[in-house]
Amino acid sequence: MRAATMKHVYGPVPSRRLGRSLGVDLVPFKVCSYDCIYCQLGRTTEKTLERREYVPIAEILTELKSLLAQGAAPDYISLAGSGEPTLNSGIGELIRNIKEITSIPVAVLTNGSLLWRDDVQEELLAADLVLPSLDAGDAALFELVNRPHGGISFERMVEGLVTFTRRFPGEVWLEVLLLGGVTGIPREAEKINDLIERIQPQRVQLNTVARPPAEDFAFALSTKQMRALQKSFTVPAELINENPEASPEYSDTSAVDEERILALLERRPCTCGDLAKGLGLHVMAAMKALDPLLAAGKINAVVIGGKPFYRARQAPEKEALRPV
Ligand code: SF4
């Protein structure tokens, strides 16, 4: 199978937390239990708590096997993508099957909203690493920042993080995304810190907006502000490195075709440098690959924080939802 036929597997993408991460999309755009104001995918189009096999697990496995047979060697296989992956009721079966075909560790990037459910906890137990989010220290800011489905209470979400972390045999790395003027102030950081003391994850990673957000009122913090806020945490909390070391170039560039680039940019706006690192290209080769896509109107560029990010143009109804 050529990379062009991949519908659910994308990348590897350069991940600030996971190195070279082969992404697996378990839900279609954009099925999520949250509608975060900072979401890099734009606004949620299907906010739900319904768990079902949104994407057939058998199709994902066929694609993964094909890519691995072509020599893909990412640092992690990451279950994530265009929404909340634990909404896919086949996630447990998928993890077990991946473990049978490869020793590459499996990471689950989740918003953590369903971790209170026993079935979800059970299904994630076979993963190597789970990376949930906690972006607010109280219910009011949870509502403001994450805009959760009405069936998720703040306290139940936090209890899910606590009980899952206690039960999970692998590592839990908690991401805290701080926003300028909202959660990015010492008083709010301290409230989040108190919750982290209850959760006790192995690592805490502080982040801020780094890609075009769903709402133009989701503001990034400067590195200086992030360093200052880090002092509000008594638990060890690291800042996610914005500029990880460039990965060695390894991939067969002949396999990097237009569809593969579009599949990545549909799910994740990237700088030219991101694209180069993710696909194992020289930055000039990545720029050369972007030029015809820009000229054909298949992608567009948006400048955020002084950096141009490239993203695939969506169908008109999706495009209209995304502020530029
Ligand atoms: S950031 Fe994650 S949890 Fe929040 S709306 Fe986007 S996909 Fe959902």
Side-chain angles (χ1 to χ4, degrees), residues 3 12 30 47 54 121 174 198 206 250 254:
K30 191 197 156 191
K47 196 190 288 187
Y54 290 91
Q121 290 197 2
L174 187 73
R198 276 172 62 193
L206 306 181
Y250 82 96
S254 66

Side-chain angles (χ1 to χ4, degrees), residues 11 41 52 78 107 124 137 141 166 173 182 205 216-217 220 224 230 254 291 317:
L41 298 170
R52 60 184 168 87
S78 302
L124 297 192
L141 285 187
R166 210 171 283 157
W173 298 358
V182 184
Q205 299 180 312
D216 56 12
F217 52 86
K224 192 172 162 197
Q230 196 176 15
S254 66
D291 277 347
E317 65 273 16

Side-chain angles (χ1 to χ4, degrees), residues 23-289:
V24 180
D25 216 345
L26 269 74
V27 289
F29 180 92
K30 191 197 156 191
V31 177
C32 194
S33 49
Y34 287 177
D35 183 18
C36 304
I37 61 173
Y38 62 78
C39 185
Q40 65 186 23
L41 298 170
R43 292 178 187 157
T44 296
T45 50
E46 188 178 343
K47 196 190 288 187
T48 182
L49 294 182
E50 186 191 354
R51 299 193 73 220
R52 60 184 168 87
E53 199 172 324
Y54 290 91
V55 171
I57 297 307
E59 280 183 21
I60 294 175
L61 279 167
T62 302
E63 292 186 13
L64 263 178
K65 281 180 191 164
S66 170
L67 263 181
L68 294 173
Q70 291 171 36
D75 298 314
Y76 282 93
I77 293 173
S78 302
L79 311 189
S82 306
E84 171 50 37
T86 62
L87 286 170
N88 191 316
S89 54
I91 191 168
E93 180 193 342
L94 177 64
I95 296 170
R96 286 194 303 277
N97 278 285
I98 294 173
K99 304 302 284 182
E100 284 171 11
I101 59 173
T102 179
S103 59
I104 296 168
V106 177
V108 180
L109 288 92
T110 171
N111 62 23
S113 62
L114 300 178
L115 288 178
W116 55 271
R117 288 180 58 134
D118 201 52
D119 55 350
V120 174
Q121 290 197 2
E122 194 72 42
E123 289 163 31
L124 297 192
L125 289 181
D128 298 281
L129 179 62
V130 173
L131 301 98
S133 302
L134 177 68
D135 300 326
D138 62 31
L141 285 187
F142 176 55
E143 294 290 330
L144 179 76
V145 171
N146 300 114
R147 300 190 296 201
H149 185 280
I152 303 170
S153 78
F154 178 69
E155 195 46 46
R156 182 145 76 166
M157 179 275 292
V158 172
E159 265 314 302
L161 289 169
V162 172
T163 56
F164 177 75
T165 305
R166 210 171 283 157
R167 182 177 180 192
F168 184 57
E171 295 213 341
V172 172
W173 298 358
L174 187 73
E175 177 178 22
V176 178
L177 191 138
L178 298 166
L179 293 170
V182 184
T183 47
I185 53 178
R187 181 164 43 89
E188 297 305 328
E190 284 159 17
K191 283 191 214 164
I192 296 172
N193 181 76
D194 290 346
L195 295 174
I196 295 172
E197 286 183 344
R198 276 172 62 193
I199 299 165
Q200 298 193 340
Q202 277 74 25
R203 288 171 79 171
V204 177
Q205 299 180 312
L206 306 181
N207 199 359
T208 189
V209 178
R211 296 194 168 74
E215 306 295 350
D216 56 12
F217 52 86
F219 296 115
L221 292 159
S222 68
T223 303
K224 192 172 162 197
Q225 288 170 311
M226 289 293 283
R227 288 203 183 114
L229 274 174
Q230 196 176 15
K231 298 191 178 84
S232 301
F233 289 83
T234 56
V235 296
E238 57 195 284
L239 300 184
I240 296 178
N241 184 4
E242 183 61 21
N243 296 302
E245 292 292 309
S247 303
E249 294 186 16
Y250 82 96
S251 76
D252 174 7
T253 56
S254 66
V256 179
D257 52 27
E258 184 181 288
E259 282 74 12
R260 195 165 170 201
I261 294 172
L262 287 173
L264 173 50
L265 297 184
E266 270 169 16
R267 291 161 172 99
R268 178 170 179 166
C270 289
T271 63
C272 187
D274 288 341
L275 195 70
K277 284 175 200 159
L279 299 181
L281 295 171
H282 187 279
V283 70
M284 292 312 292
M287 183 48 80
K288 205 171 158 190

